[in-house]
Amino acid sequence: MELSRMEREASKPLNWGKIFYERQLANTKENRQDKFLRHSVRSALEKNASCTGSLDGSVVLNELNDDELCAFFAQYPSCEYFSLRSWTSISNKVLRCISITFAERLIELDLSGSKVSNIHLDLLLVRCTKLEVLKLNHCPEIEVLGMTLVVRLLQRSLRELYLSDCREVRCDALLWIAGAIGPQNLGLRLLQCLDLSYCPIVDKGFVAIPHTCNKLQFLNLQECAELTDESVLAVAKHCRHLQLLNLSGCMHLSDKAASSLGSGCRQLVSLNISRCPKISDKGIRAIATGCVDLQAANLAGLSRLSEEALHYLAHRCPALLMLNVTGCERVSVTGLEHLVKGLHFVEQAVTFMGFKPVDEHVEKKLEGHLLMLERTRQTKTLEQIQREEARLLQETADRELRENSAASLLQAYMHRYKLRMHYYRLWRARVKHEKALMIQRNYRGLLGRHRADRRREELRLFYSLSPFGLCIQKAVRGYLCRCVHTKAAKLIREMYINRRKEAENGLAVKLQAQARRFLAALRVRSWKELVVRRALNSHDAAITMQRLSRMFVAKLRVSRRRQWMRDELEARNNAGLKIKVFLLAKMRLYKSKLTGDALKTFYRHKWGAITKIQQLYRSFKARESVYKMKIGLASMHYAATLIQRCFRGSRILHWRDMRLNVIAAFVLDRQYLERRGAVELSRLRYKKFLEDNQCDSASEPDDDAPMDEVWVKQFDKNKKANFWVNYSTNVITYDEPQLPLAHEMGLIGKRIKVFWVVQGVWYEGQISKYHRRKGRHRVEYDDGDHEWIHLADECDRVQIQLDDGTWAMYVMYQSEAMLEEKRKVLERQEREDFKRQAFIDAQQWKMFTDDRRGDLMFMSTINGELRAGLPNAGDWVVQDDGYGFPCFFNVVTQATVYEDPRFVYDVDEDLAAQRKYVMQEVRYALYFCKDLWEDFEKASSQGDERQLRKAMLAVKNSSKIDHLNSFVIRAKALYQQVSVVDKPLNEAVEAELQYAAWVAARLAEARDRTHSFLLKREDNKREVLRRLQPVGPGSASGEPLVCRLCGRPTKRHLEFCPTCGKRQVFF
């Protein structure tokens, strides 16, 4: 480029002798024209007195020559908005001067009607890094190369582009704007406004623009007669934020294009489809159904349009304020009049057939909205009263229910208490009865024991007197019985025999029963075992059959799956080979077209990718080998530990040896303590020795260091400001006091690097101390040395380490204490400015008396403002309160106030009406914005993602937020105080404005969050689609297929991930 070549020539070494000679020669030639040149430039500068902002250079293009234009434009280095309309004789010298002077600050550039060529654009746009608006209307020489320069130089800043009636802008230029052609061309992605009216464009070039410029809000395609439905379909699909669209004169558009606009561009506010004869009622109905916010529509020349479509459009679009149906043959004047009567805030137009908004339609709409809000508030009040009554009834019923429950509970408790007392009494009676019975038993047992003792005593006495009496009696009685009763003896013998036989028979029966019982138990046990074995055998047989059937089915499925996998693998391999062959051919073609640096860049990227893959594979193999080595070392460590434990267990000593070991351990511990004490004493001596050796002149005690001052922060209710008190010195100040040596003391503990000039090496260390009297810091170097340095004097060879680990020169380093002190200085300066301004505002008023009414009046000596004064305004004088603040002292009542009490703070009717209107608008917008913020906050607190997305989209699409921001700014401007000593704003209004500003700020944050969320969602979708592409060994990308949940490698034919076990989803 020419400018870059000039810069390279300017960087060459200069021949100062030749330059001096040329300057002397030029001075002799220009002496005659100097006066005329300066006079003409001076006159042009007088016409354009502003040196900043916008500059219209069209008025001086035909009056000045090139040198004068350069001198003229050099006086505007801060120009941001520049216009060069209808410049026919363009000079490269002037363009180069403009580019060097203020092109870097340009925001808007207008070259409409000028004979601008591609070279001119190259000279002018090379430095325009901040340009947002570019107007090239009616520039016939702009072609593809010019658009290439615009896209390459302004693709990061340009937002508005106007190319009306540029006949050379065709398909290739549009493809450059869309970024469809050209290496490393991203297109104008930030473009919001595009004007291509009267350009000979076709669908092939225009279709690519909506794909890239999807942020378009204004699009003008007037008289682009070659465009068809395909272009409008692309616009409706991608440009969702489009608000103004002009398709006038596009003859080939049909109902298909209109239907796509209704379904895609739902934010349309203004639409012009005049002179599109193929659009009928069907397309208008689709537009009315989708674009409910439509406010202006131009349908002139639609011969197939009927009155039914117009009525449907007016019904579906309540905000419609302007409609043009000139040339619509099927629309009658009577039908249009009836349509206007049925609408609000519109009237029939005079200059065209249609309707337009009435005067003051905004105020009438506002009255309707206010009436609606009043009715809504009344309805909500009634509903709230009904809810309150229902709540009171419910609370009464709940209270009665609680009382009944409490009474029932008390009754249950009393009944349970009585039952417990009854059973307690029964238990006490039973205990007493049992104790009485126990006493009776004890007494009767005692009596029985006494009788038994007496009986035993009698028997013992009887036996002692006649020891053989009983035996003799028994023998005699038996003999007499046998002699006298022979039958009795026989019967007794038979009885004994029978008893023996019965005992034998009973024993045999008992043995038989036990044997039968044992045999029956054996039979039952064997039968149970047989039944269990039969059940087990049948169960095993069923399980075996199930396993065989499942194994057969599984083998069948596996064989089918393997066959399917083989077929799929074969298909993938074939497809991969075809894709590989195709890509190799394309890559060869692409590499054959590359030359020089581009080819080197391609191979460098290729080798970098190969190196990265090698590094990843080697790191994987290294981690695998290290993991195996760790497992082997852990196994060896575990085995060694186990062997040591076994060995130590076998070496356990006897208790006597253990006792001797304890005694020896005690002796060794005492020796260890003595040795440790001696080592500690020697260490202290060595430390003292090092300190004595390291002492220098700056290590002396800092006795002259000032003591830290203690300041207490308090609040003054009268002045409504903070002040600080030092009780040690009894000093009061309204300026935040500065802490002495805060920056120097804050450096203690910081890491530092010092450059030693002789060695040529940077030595690192740490700051440990600061000597106040000498102003030096002690640096402890890492190698053990130390040094006292005055950092301000040695700032050129000192670096300080920042919190993030980087190093900065001491000259550039700013600590938190230094920033805090600078903040205090700035606040002190602001307070001084405030005091000065307060005194100026308080003393600017000159008092005089109105001759007609006799009232006191005040006039400002600064801006001439008039104010009405109170009757006692002359009693107030301006004084200093002792701390530099102005106060007002009443010489009669001896009262002191800080707000100006001399004026009547009544505003005129116009200002009051403006304030009332603005506050109504603020409240109206705040009503809707508050609901939006509450929904958003509720969804955020509950964590409901669906409601949160819904609330975020509502915040993004709402227009009430912009309404609230604009009127809050107007309200703050209307309620702004003229003087700093005037009476402050009403607290209720101030609180309301602060709340409105807070809600607007929160909704702005919500909008930013919504924008970030939408961008992140789009990026996530692209990333998921990229990662979930069905790739394989023969795919184009070559990347492995991974699970979208755990990120581990998987295979596409698997229904569940083999790592995490969750279901896989592929697109």
Side-chain angles (χ1 to χ4, degrees):
M1 296 180 185
E2 186 175 355
L3 185 61
S4 60
R5 290 195 299 270
M6 291 182 62
E7 290 180 353
R8 285 196 300 270
E9 292 176 359
S11 62
K12 294 180 180 180
L14 300 177
N15 188 354
W16 293 107
K18 183 179 179 181
I19 291 173
F20 180 74
Y21 174 73
E22 290 177 354
R23 286 180 180 177
Q24 293 293 333
L25 186 61
N27 290 333
T28 57
K29 293 181 180 180
E30 294 179 358
N31 287 331
R32 301 177 182 178
Q33 303 176 1
D34 191 15
K35 296 182 181 181
F36 176 75
L37 179 61
R38 293 178 180 177
H39 176 70
S40 59
V41 173
R42 188 181 302 109
S43 61
L45 290 175
E46 290 176 356
K47 295 180 182 179
N48 298 273
S50 176
C51 294
T52 59
S54 60
L55 175 61
D56 188 2
S58 304
V59 297
V60 298
L61 292 176
N62 299 323
E63 299 177 1
L64 305 177
N65 56 24
D66 294 348
D67 296 334
E68 294 172 347
L69 286 175
C70 293
F72 172 74
F73 290 136
Q75 303 301 320
Y76 298 92
S78 302
C79 179
E80 295 179 354
Y81 303 93
F82 188 47
S83 176
L84 288 175
R85 288 176 171 269
S86 303
W87 191 9
T88 57
S89 59
I90 300 178
S91 173
N92 295 343
K93 181 178 180 180
V94 178
L95 290 179
R96 192 178 301 111
C97 176
I98 294 172
S99 176
I100 295 174
T101 303
F102 53 84
E104 295 180 354
R105 299 177 180 84
L106 275 182
I107 298 178
E108 180 177 347
L109 178 60
D110 188 0
L111 297 173
S112 301
S114 302
K115 293 185 178 180
V116 183
S117 63
N118 302 328
I119 299 176
H120 300 153
L121 288 179
D122 187 8
L123 289 173
L124 190 58
L125 300 181
V126 69
R127 293 179 179 270
C128 298
T129 59
K130 299 181 180 179
L131 192 64
E132 297 182 0
V133 182
L134 180 59
K135 297 181 180 180
L136 299 174
N137 299 326
H138 309 289
C139 294
E141 297 183 6
I142 298 298
E143 53 186 16
V144 180
L145 184 57
M147 288 297 99
T148 304
L149 293 173
V150 171
V151 173
R152 287 186 178 276
L153 297 175
L154 305 178
Q155 62 181 351
R156 295 186 179 180
S157 63
L158 193 62
R159 299 181 184 273
E160 299 181 13
L161 180 60
Y162 298 90
L163 299 173
S164 177
D165 198 14
C166 293
R167 296 297 180 178
E168 297 299 328
V169 176
R170 299 181 184 274
C171 179
D172 294 339
L174 297 181
L175 292 177
W176 269 99
I177 295 175
I181 60 175
Q184 298 180 357
N185 182 17
L186 300 178
L188 301 178
R189 295 180 177 270
L190 302 178
L191 204 62
Q192 298 179 359
C193 179
L194 180 60
D195 187 359
L196 296 174
S197 58
Y198 299 97
C199 292
I201 58 176
V202 294
D203 293 338
K204 180 181 178 181
F206 181 77
V207 168
I209 288 182
H211 291 272
T212 303
C213 307
N214 54 9
K215 297 181 180 179
L216 281 176
Q217 298 180 3
F218 172 80
L219 181 60
N220 188 1
L221 301 176
Q222 185 178 0
E223 297 300 333
C224 296
E226 299 298 329
L227 294 181
T228 62
D229 294 342
E230 184 180 359
S231 300
V232 181
L233 288 174
V235 171
K237 181 178 179 181
H238 299 282
C239 300
R240 299 288 183 178
H241 305 288
L242 195 63
Q243 296 182 1
L244 285 84
L245 179 60
N246 188 356
L247 299 174
S248 177
C250 298
M251 310 293 290
H252 300 290
L253 299 185
S254 62
D255 291 335
K256 184 178 180 181
S259 301
S260 65
L261 289 176
S263 61
C265 302
R266 295 182 178 272
Q267 299 183 9
L268 272 179
V269 178
S270 176
L271 178 62
N272 186 355
I273 53 175
S274 61
R275 294 183 287 114
C276 297
K278 293 184 179 180
I279 298 179
S280 62
D281 293 350
K282 180 180 178 182
I284 300 301
R285 285 178 176 271
I287 292 174
T289 303
C291 307
V292 295
D293 296 331
L294 195 64
Q295 297 181 7
N298 189 352
L299 309 179
L302 302 185
S303 58
R304 302 172 62 184
L305 184 65
S306 64
E307 294 181 355
E308 296 179 358
L310 291 183
H311 286 286
Y312 188 78
L313 178 65
H315 175 69
R316 295 292 298 179
C317 302
L320 190 64
L321 297 175
M322 181 173 290
L323 179 65
N324 186 0
V325 291
T326 305
C328 298
E329 301 173 354
R330 300 175 60 184
V331 178
S332 63
V333 179
T334 306
L336 184 61
E337 291 178 354
H338 287 290
L339 179 63
V340 172
K341 291 180 181 179
L343 297 176
H344 300 286
F345 315 117
V346 296
E347 63 183 2
Q348 191 168 1
V350 179
T351 58
F352 60 89
M353 185 176 179
F355 56 79
K356 64 178 181 178
V358 300
D359 297 336
E360 299 180 356
H361 68 282
V362 178
E363 289 76 6
K364 294 182 180 180
K365 273 191 175 182
L366 183 60
E367 291 177 1
H369 284 301
L370 292 176
L371 182 59
M372 180 191 68
L373 292 175
E374 185 67 25
R375 291 177 180 175
T376 306
R377 186 180 64 183
Q378 293 177 0
T379 305
K380 288 186 177 180
T381 305
L382 292 176
E383 292 178 356
Q384 187 175 3
I385 292 173
Q386 293 176 1
R387 287 196 299 269
E388 188 68 22
E389 292 177 355
R391 187 181 63 80
L392 293 176
L393 292 176
Q394 185 66 26
E395 288 181 355
T396 304
D398 294 342
R399 184 170 59 255
E400 292 178 357
L401 181 62
R402 288 195 298 271
E403 291 176 356
N404 295 333
S405 301
S408 301
L409 189 62
L410 290 175
Q411 290 178 1
Y413 285 160
M414 290 300 298
H415 180 68
R416 194 179 304 166
Y417 174 74
K418 291 180 180 179
L419 286 177
R420 286 181 179 177
M421 293 303 297
H422 174 69
Y423 288 121
Y424 177 73
R425 295 190 189 97
L426 292 178
W427 176 73
R428 293 296 299 174
R430 185 169 64 252
V431 170
K432 290 180 181 179
H433 181 66
E434 290 178 356
K435 289 183 178 179
L437 291 177
M438 182 62 69
I439 293 172
Q440 290 178 2
R441 290 193 192 99
N442 292 333
Y443 179 71
R444 290 171 182 171
L446 180 63
L447 294 179
R449 285 193 295 274
H450 287 320
R451 286 196 297 271
D453 291 341
R454 287 197 298 272
R455 181 64 180 170
R456 283 195 296 273
E457 187 67 25
E458 290 176 358
L459 289 174
R460 186 181 61 76
L461 182 61
F462 174 74
Y463 288 149
S464 63
L465 294 177
S466 54
F468 303 103
L470 292 175
C471 296
I472 294 171
Q473 287 180 1
K474 292 178 180 179
V476 171
R477 290 172 181 171
Y479 177 74
L480 290 177
C481 183
R482 286 192 295 275
C483 289
V484 176
H485 302 285
T486 55
K487 293 182 178 180
K490 185 177 179 180
L491 292 173
I492 288 170
R493 284 195 297 274
E494 291 177 355
M495 182 184 68
Y496 285 148
I497 293 170
N498 291 333
R499 285 183 177 178
R500 187 180 296 111
K501 290 182 179 179
E502 288 177 356
E504 292 176 355
N505 293 333
L507 182 62
V509 170
K510 192 172 183 179
L511 291 174
Q512 289 177 358
Q514 290 181 353
R516 290 171 182 171
R517 191 180 297 114
F518 176 72
L519 293 176
L522 288 178
R523 286 197 296 272
V524 169
R525 191 181 298 113
S526 61
W527 172 253
K528 288 182 178 180
E529 186 177 358
L530 179 62
V531 170
V532 170
R533 288 187 176 277
R534 286 179 179 176
L536 290 176
N537 291 334
S538 61
H539 183 262
D540 294 340
I543 290 176
T544 303
M545 291 298 295
Q546 289 179 358
R547 288 179 178 175
L548 291 175
S549 61
R550 291 174 181 172
M551 189 181 300
F552 175 73
V553 173
K555 288 183 178 180
L556 185 61
R557 289 179 180 176
V558 168
S559 62
R560 292 178 180 177
R561 180 61 63 84
R562 288 177 178 174
Q563 183 64 30
W564 177 76
M565 289 174 61
R566 286 193 294 269
D567 297 341
E568 183 181 8
L569 184 61
E570 185 178 359
R572 286 186 178 182
N573 291 334
N574 295 333
L577 290 175
K578 292 180 180 179
I579 293 172
K580 183 177 179 181
V581 171
F582 175 76
L583 287 177
L584 290 176
K586 291 296 181 181
M587 288 300 294
R588 293 192 193 98
L589 180 61
Y590 176 69
K591 285 191 293 184
S592 63
K593 293 182 179 181
L594 293 178
T595 57
D597 296 337
L599 188 61
K600 293 180 181 179
T601 304
F602 173 78
Y603 279 111
R604 185 167 59 253
H605 290 333
K606 181 177 179 181
W607 295 334
I610 295 172
T611 307
K612 187 67 176 178
I613 293 172
Q614 291 178 356
Q615 291 176 355
L616 292 175
Y617 178 74
R618 290 169 181 171
S619 61
F620 171 74
K621 297 299 289 183
R623 286 194 296 271
E624 188 177 7
S625 60
V626 169
Y627 181 70
K628 292 180 180 179
M629 189 181 298
K630 286 183 178 179
I631 292 176
L633 293 176
S635 302
M636 295 172 62
H637 177 71
Y638 177 75
T641 305
L642 187 62
I643 293 170
Q644 288 178 359
R645 288 177 181 173
C646 296
F647 179 74
R648 290 169 182 170
S650 63
R651 301 293 295 176
I652 294 177
L653 299 176
H654 194 264
W655 67 273
R656 293 189 184 89
D657 299 332
M658 292 173 66
R659 181 178 179 185
L660 293 175
N661 286 343
V662 169
I663 295 172
F666 175 76
V667 174
L668 291 175
D669 288 342
R670 187 176 62 184
Q671 294 177 358
Y672 170 72
L673 292 174
E674 293 176 355
R675 187 167 58 255
R676 189 173 63 180
V679 170
E680 188 67 26
L681 290 175
S682 63
R683 187 179 293 114
L684 291 175
R685 288 194 298 270
Y686 180 70
K687 186 176 181 180
K688 181 65 175 175
F689 173 74
L690 290 179
E691 290 180 354
D692 294 340
N693 289 336
Q694 292 180 357
C695 286
D696 48 20
S697 60
S699 300
E700 299 174 1
D702 197 2
D703 298 333
D704 298 338
M707 298 178 62
D708 293 336
E709 299 179 353
V710 180
W711 293 89
V712 180
K713 183 179 180 181
Q714 296 184 5
F715 183 76
D716 191 351
K717 296 182 179 178
N718 296 328
K719 298 181 181 179
K720 298 180 181 179
N722 296 321
F723 66 96
W724 286 263
V725 181
N726 191 341
Y727 291 103
S728 60
T729 58
N730 294 327
V731 176
I732 300 176
T733 179
Y734 282 85
D735 298 328
E736 187 173 357
Q738 296 183 358
L739 299 177
L741 303 177
H743 172 64
E744 288 76 5
M745 299 303 294
L747 291 175
I748 296 178
K750 292 286 186 180
R751 296 287 299 172
I752 186 174
K753 283 201 306 186
V754 181
F755 183 76
W756 286 37
V757 181
V758 179
Q759 288 81 1
V761 181
W762 289 89
Y763 289 97
E764 295 187 14
Q766 188 174 8
I767 300 175
S768 60
K769 295 179 182 179
Y770 177 70
H771 201 283
R772 299 190 180 186
R773 180 162 53 85
K774 296 188 177 183
R776 295 184 179 182
H777 289 81
R778 181 185 175 97
V779 179
E780 301 288 346
Y781 291 105
D782 295 342
D783 56 359
D785 197 0
H786 76 280
E787 183 183 8
W788 289 90
I789 300 178
H790 196 286
L791 297 180
D793 297 340
E794 305 292 342
C795 59
D796 295 335
R797 63 184 189 96
V798 175
Q799 291 183 359
I800 303 295
Q801 188 177 20
L802 303 180
D803 296 335
D804 56 356
T806 59
W807 296 87
M809 294 300 294
Y810 180 76
V811 180
M812 306 298 295
Y813 175 72
Q814 291 184 352
S815 62
E816 296 180 359
M818 184 183 295
L819 296 176
E820 183 68 19
E821 295 303 322
K822 289 184 179 179
R823 182 189 63 80
K824 293 178 182 179
V825 171
L826 292 176
E827 289 182 356
R828 187 178 298 106
Q829 185 65 31
E830 291 176 359
R831 184 173 293 276
E832 293 296 333
D833 295 341
F834 177 79
K835 292 177 184 178
R836 193 180 304 107
Q837 186 63 34
F839 269 108
I840 294 173
D841 292 344
Q843 295 174 356
Q844 69 174 335
W845 300 101
K846 183 178 180 181
M847 185 175 63
F848 63 94
T849 305
D850 191 355
D851 297 336
R852 292 186 299 173
R853 296 183 296 180
D855 297 337
L856 290 177
M857 300 294 292
F858 288 88
M859 184 179 70
S860 174
T861 59
I862 298 177
N863 54 12
E865 181 184 357
L866 292 177
R867 290 189 181 182
L870 294 174
N872 61 344
D875 300 337
W876 296 93
V877 295
V878 181
Q879 291 183 355
D880 191 347
D881 64 345
Y883 296 101
F885 291 93
C887 64
F888 299 90
F889 178 72
N890 195 320
V891 296
V892 179
T893 60
Q894 304 296 321
T896 302
V897 295
Y898 286 89
E899 298 171 359
D900 200 339
R902 299 175 292 181
F903 307 132
V904 178
Y905 291 97
D906 292 335
V907 297
D908 55 354
E909 296 180 358
D910 295 338
L911 183 58
Q914 290 182 15
R915 289 182 176 179
K916 182 179 179 181
Y917 169 71
V918 170
M919 290 306 297
Q920 286 178 355
E921 288 288 340
V922 169
R923 297 186 184 101
Y924 170 70
L926 184 61
Y927 175 79
F928 296 98
C929 293
K930 184 179 179 182
D931 293 340
L932 291 174
W933 171 248
E934 289 178 353
D935 295 341
F936 181 80
E937 185 68 19
K938 182 178 179 181
S940 300
S941 60
Q942 291 179 357
D944 191 352
E945 294 294 336
R946 183 177 180 182
Q947 295 295 331
L948 181 60
R949 289 195 296 269
K950 185 176 180 181
M952 291 168 69
L953 292 177
V955 170
K956 177 179 178 296
N957 298 327
S958 177
S959 62
K960 300 298 180 184
I961 302 174
D962 300 332
H963 191 182
L964 179 63
N965 289 327
S966 60
F967 278 97
V968 164
I969 294 172
R970 287 188 60 186
K972 288 183 178 180
L974 289 175
Y975 283 98
Q976 186 177 6
Q977 292 182 347
V978 179
S979 175
V980 296
V981 294
D982 285 348
K983 184 181 291 185
L985 184 63
N986 188 7
E987 295 182 358
V989 177
E990 185 176 5
E992 194 170 0
L993 288 177
Q994 289 179 358
Y995 178 69
W998 180 83
V999 172
R1002 301 289 80 75
L1003 289 176
E1005 294 176 359
R1007 271 190 170 181
D1008 295 340
R1009 182 178 175 184
T1010 304
H1011 184 65
S1012 302
F1013 168 74
L1014 293 176
L1015 292 179
K1016 185 177 180 181
R1017 187 171 64 178
E1018 293 296 332
D1019 294 340
N1020 290 338
K1021 285 183 180 179
R1022 296 192 189 97
E1023 182 65 19
V1024 169
L1025 290 175
R1026 186 188 65 79
R1027 294 176 59 190
L1028 299 183
Q1029 289 297 328
V1031 298
S1035 64
S1037 61
E1039 298 180 357
L1041 185 63
V1042 296
C1043 177
R1044 69 182 183 88
L1045 299 173
C1046 64
R1048 301 297 181 85
T1050 181
K1051 296 182 179 180
R1052 185 175 178 81
H1053 68 274
L1054 298 179
E1055 187 178 1
F1056 297 91
C1057 177
T1059 304
C1060 62
K1062 297 183 179 179
R1063 186 180 295 276
Q1064 300 182 141
V1065 178
F1066 300 107
F1067 295 97

